[in-house]
Amino acid sequence: EGTGDALVFKRTTAEQSLLVAINMTSQTLKVANDFVIKDELNGHGFSGYVDENSIVLPPYQACYAEV
């Protein structure tokens, strides 16, 4: 689906599904999110975050979440 300038994909194993969103631009991006977020993952050094039904990605940042 169209996510604009963000690279967004889901990786799935038998145990877990992970949503990855990456902003490779110099502008803050807000990407619509249709997934149910189980847990926003932190401690990886990136500052992207989930805001209600969107993912907010500051410039050159990423967001990881369990879906």
Side-chain angles (χ1 to χ4, degrees), residues 1-52:
E1 292 183 29
T3 57
D5 291 324
L7 173 63
V8 181
F9 59 94
K10 182 174 82 166
R11 295 290 307 255
T12 302
T13 67
E15 298 84 27
Q16 182 183 48
S17 289
L18 184 69
L19 177 68
V20 179
I22 303 170
N23 178 1
M24 296 180 278
T25 75
S26 61
Q27 303 295 317
T28 297
L29 301 177
K30 192 169 188 178
V31 180
N33 172 41
D34 295 333
F35 295 102
V36 174
I37 303 294
K38 293 180 183 177
D39 188 22
E40 187 173 343
L41 306 177
N42 298 306
H44 43 66
F46 292 104
S47 61
Y49 59 94
V50 177
D51 181 26
E52 295 184 16

